[in-house]
Amino acid sequence: ISFNNKKGVIRGLHFQKKPFTETKLIKCLKGTIFDVVIDLRKNSKSFGKYFKIILSKKNATGLYIPRGFAHAYYSYDKENIIYYKLDNFYKPQYENGIIYNDKILKIKWPSKIIVSKKDSNLKSFQFFCDNFKGL
């Protein structure tokens, strides 16, 4: 479970490297979030493309994210509770990410963004392509 108590916060774009890539099922139990996933599977027709969706308590929508995707969300509300169901163990040493405002990906985020120091130091999509070659 992830708790967020600030409106406008972006978390991500996070992923775990092999061998600890994860399949995720995400649901917003309280509040509303703008959820984004990026396909990082090197042989996929949608490699480097993103998908966005609004998840909220009100719409009761869940999101299934297969292995090989990066994930991020933006908090529309002051208080959000996000539930994650994972098929693999979280290993901090395998965690990595792509910067939310990458110039190649061109994700259209809502305005008034707050980004953590950790997430603001993530690398570019080009860096991912050059160093990881896909998940």
Side-chain angles (χ1 to χ4, degrees), residues 30-101:
K30 183 173 186 178
T32 303
I33 61 172
F34 175 83
D35 208 275
V36 176
V37 294
I38 310 265
D39 189 350
L40 300 178
R41 300 170 299 171
K42 65 181 172 183
N43 295 320
S44 172
K45 290 180 183 179
S46 59
F47 177 77
K49 305 289 185 214
Y50 72 90
F51 172 79
K52 60 184 179 176
I53 188 171
I54 302 293
L55 302 178
S56 70
K57 178 181 178 180
K58 186 176 180 180
N59 70 17
T61 301
L63 179 63
Y64 175 82
I65 306 170
R67 290 175 183 262
F69 282 73
H71 174 251
Y73 70 84
Y74 169 89
S75 300
Y76 276 116
D77 292 329
K78 184 177 177 182
E79 188 174 14
N80 297 280
I81 300 174
I82 297 92
Y83 173 78
Y84 292 85
K85 181 71 174 165
L86 308 173
D87 76 337
N88 209 345
F89 293 101
Y90 172 68
K91 300 282 186 177
Q93 65 270 34
Y94 289 88
E95 183 182 46
N96 214 307
I98 296 170
I99 190 75
Y100 75 97
N101 61 351

Side-chain angles (χ1 to χ4, degrees), residues 86-131:
L86 308 173
D87 76 337
N88 209 345
F89 293 101
Y90 172 68
K91 300 282 186 177
Q93 65 270 34
Y94 289 88
E95 183 182 46
N96 214 307
I98 296 170
I99 190 75
Y100 75 97
N101 61 351
D102 183 84
K103 291 179 173 126
I104 294 172
L105 298 174
K106 298 179 183 173
I107 300 169
K108 294 178 181 146
W109 295 99
S111 60
K112 298 186 180 180
I113 293 172
I114 300 168
V115 183
S116 71
K117 184 176 182 178
K118 173 186 165 186
D119 287 348
S120 64
N121 287 324
L122 294 174
K123 304 293 184 193
S124 69
F125 179 66
Q126 187 62 56
F127 180 88
F128 171 83
C129 292
D130 293 345
N131 291 277

